[in-house]
Amino acid sequence: MDILQIKEKLKTDSYTFLKEDKNLGSNIILLTLGGSHAYGMDKEGSDLDIRGIATNSKEDILLGTDFGQVVETVTDTVIYSFNKIIQLLVSNNPNTIEILGCKPEHYLYLPGIGKELLANRKMFLSKICIHSFGGYAGSQLRRMENKAARYTGQAQNEAYILKSISNAKYYFKDRFFPYNDSDINLYIDKSVQNGYESEIFMDINLKHYPLRDWAGMWNEMKAITSSYNKFGKRNEKAASHDKLGKHMAHLIRLYMMCIDILEKEEIITYREDGHGLLMDIRNGKYLDGNRQPSGAFYELLDEYEKRLEYAKNNTGLPEKPDYKKIDEFRMYVNERIVKGEV
């Protein structure tokens, strides 16, 4: 489906909600492609995903309310409110920051404020992407590796769990009572359990620490560890439907995008560079005879993890986004709405 066909499809009855929903209509400041079409990885029969942003109403702004997002499942459409998308972009959320890096012709509707948002997209970029992209890509990829110890080994699988927890821990200090890094130390050592080569151990040194905050952190770490036991059956189902290659390709794409952000300080959603590799992965070239990720895929993954490690150690990005500029832009947009200038 080319871009002209997509634009024509948006005129059909299936998409009338874009005009009729009280939160959308003239409030929409950006419409673009999502999913495989946005990445340039679509195939015949690929679903059409539409993503967008709509400003909050005058009432929302003055009353402090927010519609958050409009989700239309039949057409795979998600339109975020302006105030919510700002929060997600600040956290470098992979599923939303990609909206700002689409191919120019993939923006289906882009009035003035939408163009201004794109022009200022670099204010959102920071080292936070290391953890948001790394955590998302890592946890998704390792879902395919759990229950396949014969391919990765139990010790390697344990290392993946620890990496996922480490990514989650990055946000603990913002959400829970503060503690020193040395107070919670997780590491891998020789296992004391039968059937394990190694396992994760912990050294905890917390004093006068709120129980509920500790319970919150503990539950998150426990959920990450427990979830690995559930991934195997899901992966078998995905493999049986030939979807494993697709998942693998999208996960490598996440590494590519994060490296671009760190090295080039650019959001590049459409993967012109690396397109052939990504499509080879998607089409099953990196699956073995058992329809599992091959050794060549793990070598590729290791290469991208090393590239990401180098990029994060040498990036010129700040630790945090430009909060001052972001707040000024948000106030500028919302003030214009309240004054009736938008």
Side-chain angles (χ1 to χ4, degrees):
M1 187 183 302
D2 62 32
I3 199 67
L4 291 177
Q5 291 174 310
I6 291 171
K7 287 183 177 179
E8 287 301 313
K9 189 169 184 178
L10 290 187
K11 297 177 183 177
T12 63
D13 291 344
S14 298
Y15 291 89
T16 55
F17 68 92
L18 291 173
K19 294 181 179 179
E20 296 174 355
D21 189 286
K22 66 177 183 178
N23 294 306
L24 305 182
S26 60
N27 293 333
I28 295 176
I29 60 169
L30 184 152
L31 278 182
T32 190
L33 300 180
S36 296
H37 285 87
Y39 313 136
M41 295 169 57
D42 54 295
K43 297 169 62 176
E44 186 69 31
S46 291
D47 293 335
L48 175 62
D49 300 332
I50 300 296
R51 298 293 178 263
I53 305 169
T55 55
N56 294 83
S57 65
K58 177 180 178 179
E59 289 76 15
D60 272 346
I61 295 167
L62 295 177
L63 295 174
T65 56
D66 188 355
F67 69 88
Q69 62 192 48
V70 174
V71 179
E72 212 289 317
T73 55
V74 175
T75 59
D76 290 324
T77 299
V78 181
I79 311 294
Y80 298 94
S81 75
F82 178 73
N83 284 336
K84 179 168 184 178
I85 198 71
I86 293 294
Q87 295 173 3
L88 293 169
L89 293 174
V90 163
S91 68
N92 283 202
N93 179 287
N95 287 332
T96 52
I97 204 164
E98 65 187 31
I99 293 174
L100 303 185
C102 294
K103 205 172 182 180
E105 54 265 41
H106 286 175
Y107 288 102
L108 308 170
Y109 181 65
L110 193 65
I113 292 179
K115 291 177 182 177
E116 291 182 65
L117 177 62
L118 290 187
N120 287 280
R121 60 184 174 270
K122 287 190 178 182
M123 65 185 174
F124 297 106
L125 302 184
S126 73
K127 291 181 181 178
I128 289 176
C129 73
I130 296 167
H131 303 278
S132 59
F133 273 80
Y136 186 82
S139 64
Q140 294 296 312
L141 179 58
R142 282 150 197 130
R143 289 182 180 187
M144 296 184 295
E145 296 174 336
N146 193 57
K147 292 286 187 178
R150 55 181 172 165
Y151 300 106
T152 62
Q154 182 272 323
Q156 183 66 54
N157 199 50
E158 199 77 357
Y160 290 153
I161 297 174
L162 180 58
K163 183 174 288 188
S164 293
I165 293 175
S166 296
N167 280 312
K169 278 181 63 185
Y170 178 79
Y171 299 99
F172 282 1
K173 291 184 180 180
D174 293 330
R175 297 167 50 207
F176 302 112
F177 194 78
Y179 61 90
N180 296 321
D181 289 335
S182 59
D183 291 340
I184 302 177
N185 182 32
L186 303 179
Y187 56 94
I188 293 177
D189 205 345
K190 185 177 180 180
S191 177
V192 296
Q193 299 190 57
N194 292 330
Y196 279 61
E197 298 174 48
S198 61
E199 64 177 309
I200 301 169
F201 289 84
M202 61 181 186
D203 294 333
I204 308 296
N205 183 34
L206 294 173
K207 295 182 179 179
H208 199 69
Y209 194 82
L211 175 63
R212 289 176 179 82
D213 287 79
W214 169 245
M217 289 190 290
W218 173 253
N219 285 333
E220 290 205 22
M221 292 188 285
K222 180 181 178 182
I224 291 171
T225 305
S226 300
S227 65
Y228 277 75
N229 297 323
K230 303 175 183 178
F231 294 149
K233 291 182 180 179
R234 295 176 189 168
N235 294 338
E236 290 174 9
K237 184 176 180 180
S240 68
H241 288 80
D242 259 355
K243 292 183 178 179
L244 198 53
K246 177 180 177 180
H247 296 323
M248 292 160 61
H250 281 303
L251 290 164
I252 292 296
R253 174 190 60 78
L254 284 169
Y255 278 94
M256 290 178 172
M257 281 193 68
C258 189
I259 291 168
D260 284 339
I261 292 172
L262 293 169
E263 292 184 345
K264 302 175 183 178
E265 299 186 12
E266 291 285 354
I267 306 164
I268 305 174
T269 303
Y270 188 86
R271 303 311 309 178
E272 200 156 15
D273 291 340
H275 177 266
L277 171 62
L278 291 171
M279 293 307 291
D280 280 346
I281 298 172
R282 176 167 186 173
N283 291 331
K285 184 176 179 180
Y286 286 81
L287 294 175
D288 62 19
N290 295 318
R291 307 300 294 171
Q292 292 290 320
S294 65
F297 178 75
Y298 291 122
E299 291 176 6
L300 183 67
L301 172 62
D302 287 341
E303 176 188 335
Y304 273 94
E305 289 187 331
K306 289 174 182 175
R307 286 181 60 184
L308 179 61
E309 187 69 21
Y310 177 84
K312 74 181 186 181
N313 290 331
N314 293 277
T315 185
L317 286 178
E319 293 290 334
K320 303 292 183 182
D322 190 340
Y323 290 121
K324 184 175 184 294
K325 188 173 182 179
I326 293 168
D327 287 342
E328 288 174 350
F329 183 76
R330 182 166 55 178
M331 288 189 294
Y332 157 75
V333 171
N334 286 337
E335 183 179 13
R336 289 184 62 192
I337 294 169
V338 171
K339 289 181 175 180
E341 297 175 358
V342 178

